[in-house]
Amino acid sequence: MTTLADQMKRGLDAPICLTWELTYACNLDCVHCLSSSGRRDPRELTTDEAIAVIDELRRMQVFYVNIGGGEPMLRRDFFTIIDHATTSGVGVKFSTNGTYIDTDAARRLAAMDYLDVQISIDGADAATNDLVRGQGSWDTARRAMDALAAADFGEFKISVVVTRENVTQLDDLLTIADSYGAQLRITRLRPAGRGADTWHQLHPTDAQQRDLYHWLLERGDRVLTGDSFFHLNALGDPLPGLNLCGAGRVVCLIDPVGDVYACPFVIHDEFRAGNVRDPGGFAAVWNSSELFAELREPGSAGACASCGAYDACQGGCMAAKFFTGLPLDGPDPECVSGHGAAALAAATTAPRPDQDHSRARAHAAAAAVPVTLGRR
């Protein structure tokens, strides 16, 4: 009998989850930013081009799109774009640092249908959060949450990237979400973008990975994970969600200039499938890309073939392997059986992210962040 996972491995007629980074512009400088955002790219899609993409997604019957950045609300046409999407029947979930959600914006968002808002924080207190996201970002995010609650927005999301600094705060983060009638969403830290420079210092330890697994087993019905942690399934009972890499099969990314990548976490030329400005638009990329066709072919267990847990974890995350210099058919760098640690020790070089949109700053400051974190 063909399972749902088997069908998804072969690819679908349209992505279940499409991530669309509207802009690389951002007012923050988070040390783990997947897209190294900061400066706007002058080539980013125009308003008319963005509207055309939405119309195409509607024709493909894409149910909803994850909009992010950068900070998507920095685009002057932000509301024009999401208004067109939601009134066209394409649901929107957008991620924001909350800077531009004031009373008026919160009321406007609360009046819209088919819209979900996700506020990003990375700690249950300012001290932990601001080390990663920047001074004052904690207070800014909380003001945005207060504004959404006051506007009766409903169940917005609070999104947290799990690090070794905040993994012990998950209960506190869940309490914060409950206090707003919000839902906690936790995702895995990937070594992409600026995260390539901080992953080794910030990703959870082996012991913390196990603690996280048991925490999710106990509270998984109250927490969203976006299928981030299927590599932990090797520890025992499966966590909720799919245990497969959906890159090019059920998910993909459109970046601000229209480039389409197999996965939101691998913005690199090796995983670029095309551009929405190419003939045939996004549909042609999704349906005809050689890269996507290759990703949809049955894969080999590779170095994991002899491991009895392969069926549970499927070898883990492609992006985590790629940006740590591990082969794509090798073990996940955070393999709970220890195979990833051994592979990392033997790895020589890792690919660098292709693009850096960070605002001009001393990169030594970024390198100093782990030292500050270490004292905790």
Side-chain angles (χ1 to χ4, degrees):
M1 182 178 68
T2 301
T3 67
L4 178 60
D6 290 333
Q7 294 176 21
M8 289 184 173
K9 286 180 181 179
R10 293 193 295 269
L12 302 178
D13 291 338
I16 289 178
C17 177
L18 171 71
T19 297
W20 184 2
E21 310 287 24
L22 281 186
T23 183
Y24 286 125
C26 192
N27 58 304
L28 297 186
D29 199 25
C30 303
V31 302
H32 58 6
C33 179
L34 292 168
S35 56
S36 299
S37 287
R39 294 174 289 107
R40 175 183 174 271
D41 191 312
R43 302 170 298 158
E44 69 184 25
L45 299 177
T46 66
T47 303
D48 288 344
E49 288 174 323
I51 295 298
V53 169
I54 291 169
D55 291 341
E56 189 172 15
L57 298 180
R58 183 192 65 240
R59 290 192 293 270
M60 294 177 69
Q61 298 182 325
V62 173
F63 180 64
Y64 79 95
V65 59
N66 287 319
I67 285 180
E71 171 49 56
M73 295 187 75
L74 275 170
R75 278 194 62 139
R76 295 181 180 180
D77 57 1
F78 170 75
F79 278 105
T80 300
I81 292 171
I82 63 170
D83 275 336
H84 184 76
T86 57
T87 56
S88 299
V90 178
V92 170
K93 176 170 67 178
F94 82 92
S95 298
T96 173
N97 59 46
T99 301
Y100 304 100
I101 297 184
D102 56 15
T103 300
D104 291 339
R107 289 172 178 166
R108 185 171 183 179
L109 293 169
M112 300 175 69
D113 293 325
Y114 306 113
L115 177 72
D116 198 7
V117 180
Q118 191 165 272
I119 307 292
S120 296
I121 59 174
D122 285 313
D125 52 55
T128 305
N129 174 87
D130 290 5
L131 284 174
V132 173
R133 303 187 64 82
Q135 190 67 31
S137 57
W138 164 259
D139 292 334
T140 296
R142 291 301 298 264
R143 284 194 295 270
M145 296 178 202
D146 292 341
L148 289 172
D152 293 325
F153 179 88
E155 190 183 58
F156 60 88
K157 306 294 188 296
I158 297 176
S159 181
V160 178
V161 177
V162 178
T163 69
R164 68 180 59 178
E165 298 298 318
N166 65 25
V167 69
T168 59
Q169 298 180 336
L170 291 176
D171 282 328
D172 293 333
L173 288 161
L174 189 56
T175 297
I176 292 171
D178 289 343
S179 72
Y180 285 105
Q183 188 164 29
L184 180 64
R185 181 177 186 268
I186 65 172
T187 57
R188 184 180 178 185
L189 175 69
R190 265 83 169 195
R194 285 195 291 271
D197 295 322
T198 57
W199 181 84
H200 287 281
Q201 291 80 24
L202 285 179
H203 77 95
T205 65
D206 291 344
Q208 289 174 334
Q209 296 272 5
R210 286 167 169 75
D211 290 342
L212 172 61
Y213 168 75
H214 292 293
W215 189 88
L216 286 170
L217 281 182
E218 294 175 5
R219 297 165 180 81
D221 59 334
R222 300 173 58 197
V223 180
L224 297 176
T225 64
D227 302 325
S228 282
F229 302 104
F230 62 88
H231 68 294
L232 299 180
N233 287 343
L235 289 171
D237 294 334
L239 298 173
L242 293 171
N243 67 328
L244 62 87
C245 172
R249 296 161 164 171
V250 297
V251 302
C252 68
L253 167 82
I254 301 176
D255 84 347
V257 302
D259 284 335
V260 181
Y261 294 89
C263 169
F265 308 116
V266 282
I267 303 177
H268 190 280
D269 276 350
E270 287 196 33
F271 296 93
R272 181 184 176 276
N275 190 287
V276 299
R277 287 167 167 152
D278 294 340
F282 173 76
V285 178
W286 181 259
N287 293 318
S288 304
S289 160
E290 292 182 9
L291 171 65
F292 286 177
E294 180 181 346
L295 291 171
R296 292 164 188 168
E297 288 294 320
S300 166
C304 297
S306 61
C307 179
Y310 177 77
D311 288 341
C313 76
Q314 295 291 307
C317 173
M318 177 179 74
K321 300 176 194 181
F322 181 74
F323 282 121
T324 51
L326 303 186
L328 298 188
D329 63 353
D332 189 287
E334 293 181 302
C335 169
V336 295
S337 299
H339 303 304
L344 282 175
T348 54
T349 58
R352 294 293 302 171
D354 276 344
Q355 306 176 42
D356 189 346
H357 305 277
S358 304
R359 298 191 305 276
R361 65 186 175 96
H363 287 283
V369 171
V371 176
T372 305
L373 293 171
R375 65 177 172 80
R376 300 187 66 250

